[in-house]
Amino acid sequence: DALETAGCVTPEHGWMPMHLSLWHDGRLAALAPAYVKGNSEGEFVFDHSWARFAHARLALPYFPKLILAVPFTPATGPRLLVSPNVDCEWASTALARGVTKLIEQVGCSSAHVLFPTEQQARELGAAGFALRHGVQFHWHNAGYFSFEDFVGRFNSKKRNQIRRERRELDRQGIEIQVATGRDITEEIVEAMYGFYCDTVSKHYWGRQYLNHLFFHTVCSEMAHQIHIVVARDRRSRKPIAGAFNLLGPRALYGRYWGACEERPFLHFNVCFYAAIEDCIARGLELFEPGAGGEHKVARGFEPTLTHSAHYLRDPRLDAAVRDFLHEESRALTDHVSEWHERPVLRSRGENGGG
């Protein structure tokens, strides 16, 4: 709602809201966030090659398409919100059937359900959607009592590296604060928006999807679900870096980061270590820091499969995409297996706690 109210998500930007409701015997059974898309930006499940194939090889228009997703948010969660008294599998099957008819009526080439739960993905697959996997790096809480307890799981080389990176901020005179709820001040919101804009401008592929109004809207209307890590210079009290996260009942979701100064190990501490330490203190099960980044494995994150489900109206395009997904899935599975075999955590034979 904040994205739409603030004007970040509009038809002019390629996002036309068309949220779906599922009714049974006159009662609302389920809801799904959905958008008619005129491009593939801000989705994080990349289908640019599918669009090129449709245009160049099949002479088919790929846009508009329908996506069931949260804009700009590569975080796993239910994409079909089901009433407590409704069977979830029935709802997923009914949604799949309804969506296939809907895209024919509105003239969309395809429907894409992005970052659903594994269970919802399986249910959509059983209803005829093609399933796709991606990889993110997630931190899982193994019942840690403290950050040092977490560090104790690593081999000695990695333990010393992480401790050294943490000490470095103190040596540089940098303090870290975690702000949620009433602790999120106007100063912090303004600083975080500036960090976000600065990060976007530094990369040629950057896109400024969010505006000033959005940051102020979410930080005022859902402050207790906003989690901002701020790094300050100890002498001047000036914010020099920040990470913008979303706080759920069982998980933390990392979204944006930025800094106005380049300092050694600042990124690791603000984006990873402070968030992990706070997850342990809050008893959260999971930390999803966002898309990309194999470097996260060395800091305690594990490669984790994500899911999406796709329905393509044209049988030729559907067949080509399913062939592609078969090969992609096989390569992805092999790659994840290699990651899990890397000796990052301490071996069973090494002495020590954790």
Side-chain angles (χ1 to χ4, degrees), residues 34-186:
Y35 298 85
V36 176
K37 286 297 304 291
N39 55 46
S40 289
E41 293 190 2
E43 299 174 14
F44 295 93
V45 175
F46 301 109
D47 61 352
H48 305 293
S49 62
W50 302 2
R52 289 194 296 267
F53 179 85
H55 285 287
R57 299 288 295 275
L58 302 178
L60 289 173
Y62 192 70
F63 302 105
K65 65 179 183 179
L66 181 72
I67 70 165
L68 281 68
V70 180
F72 322 130
T73 309
T76 293
R79 293 299 169 258
L80 181 65
L81 308 177
V82 183
S83 175
N85 59 345
V86 173
D87 180 75
C88 292
E89 186 174 355
W90 172 87
S92 294
T93 301
L95 175 76
R97 291 174 179 172
V99 164
T100 58
K101 295 179 180 179
L102 175 65
I103 62 173
E104 292 183 8
Q105 293 174 3
V106 300
C108 289
S109 70
S110 51
H112 309 265
V113 184
L114 309 183
F115 298 101
T117 62
E118 182 178 2
Q119 178 64 29
Q120 285 190 348
R122 283 201 301 264
E123 291 166 355
L124 291 169
F129 280 54
L131 300 184
R132 187 180 191 184
H133 291 132
V135 171
Q136 291 181 352
F137 299 90
H138 297 171
W139 177 85
H140 299 270
N141 191 343
Y144 302 117
F145 297 104
S146 65
F147 187 85
E148 188 60 29
D149 186 28
F150 158 66
V151 173
R153 289 197 64 195
F154 290 84
N155 61 40
S156 59
K157 180 179 179 180
K158 290 297 181 182
R159 288 201 303 272
N160 291 333
Q161 177 184 340
I162 292 173
R163 289 166 179 162
R164 184 171 61 252
E165 291 173 354
R166 296 258 287 178
R167 289 194 302 267
E168 181 63 23
L169 286 200
D170 186 61
R171 190 190 69 80
Q172 296 177 41
I174 297 174
E175 295 178 351
I176 289 185
Q177 169 196 3
V178 175
T180 62
R182 295 180 180 179
D183 294 333
I184 302 176
T185 63
E186 180 79 10

Side-chain angles (χ1 to χ4, degrees), residues 191-192 194-196 198-199 202 239-242 257-263 266-267 270:
M192 194 65 242
F195 296 146
Y196 164 73
D198 184 65
T199 298
K202 286 179 180 178
I240 62 172
W257 131 274
C260 61
E261 296 183 17
E262 297 292 335
R263 301 284 190 95
L266 187 59
H267 176 261
V270 172

Side-chain angles (χ1 to χ4, degrees), residues 180 224-227 245-249 251-253 278 282 284:
T180 62
H224 290 285
Q225 293 168 279
I226 303 300
H227 181 283
N245 309 316
L246 295 171
L247 181 62
L252 184 69
Y253 303 91
D278 201 52
R282 294 175 184 272
L284 299 181

